[in-house]
Amino acid sequence: FQMALNVGGENPDVYSIMGSTYAQTQDVDNAFMALDRALLLDPNHARSYYFRGLTYMNNDNLNAAVRDFSTAIAFDPTYYDAFFDRGQVYALQNNYDAAIQDFSAALSQYPNFKLAYIRRGVVQEWDGNITAAIGDYAQYIQLNTRQFLPPQLAQSGTAAVNLRPYDTAQLQITLNAGQMLSVTTASSGVDAMIV
């Protein structure tokens, strides 16, 4: 970063990325110093507000995070990451309507934003809108489907599917009245709702 500053001079983009890097290494003081420097150089720098908002969010200063995400959005209304993370903060504050609106805004900018579907689904579920939550979960699964398993696996009794983190599998089956389908996981930490 110092070489970039030496070659290119005082640059808000360099300070912004520097601040983000400091934040990721838990060096919060230097993160804020770099991001504040970026904003001093360019008070309209949406990315610096976004990274500072992330730093505030990760340090439980939720009101400051909302303020900075909102400022980033004001300067760049297409900044879907800022909508997404502001939605996460609203969810933490139990402001479900605002969270759902922000996740929806992120999805309107980037329709294949998989994580926004799952987060919006969780908030919809918390808010008691199970039908909408299921729709978001289904959309997340559809966007993440990497394996289509042959139907005969279900007919043969038992099938094992080995998945890596974030992989999904889809199995088309038909059940008749009285039949049962059982799905289990052999891994700890798997959200049963997602399975």
Side-chain angles (χ1 to χ4, degrees), residues 58-175:
N58 292 330
N59 287 281
D60 297 321
N61 190 341
L62 301 183
N63 290 330
V66 166
R67 182 194 64 230
D68 276 358
F69 291 142
S70 297
T71 304
I73 292 165
F75 288 124
D76 182 357
T78 65
Y79 208 148
Y80 59 86
D81 286 321
F83 279 109
F84 174 79
D85 285 310
R86 188 176 70 177
Q88 293 201 104
V89 173
Y90 283 143
L92 291 170
Q93 295 175 324
N94 298 321
N95 187 347
Y96 300 147
D97 289 339
I100 291 166
Q101 287 176 5
D102 274 359
F103 293 137
S104 298
L107 287 165
S108 74
Q109 299 292 330
Y110 180 34
N112 290 332
F113 195 168
K114 300 174 210 175
L115 200 50
Y117 283 106
I118 198 75
R119 294 288 195 261
R120 188 175 70 179
V122 168
V123 173
Q124 302 259 31
E125 185 179 345
W126 290 346
D127 201 31
N129 193 343
I130 302 303
T131 303
I134 290 170
D136 281 340
Y137 294 151
Q139 186 63 33
Y140 172 80
I141 290 169
Q142 181 179 352
L143 289 171
N144 277 293
T145 298
R146 287 181 176 62
Q147 296 184 38
F148 289 90
L149 305 177
Q152 63 270 22
L153 285 179
Q155 297 165 359
S156 69
T158 301
V161 179
N162 295 315
L163 300 173
R164 295 175 313 240
Y166 303 104
D167 278 355
T168 61
Q170 184 172 335
L171 175 60
Q172 299 290 329
I173 61 166
T174 304
L175 294 175

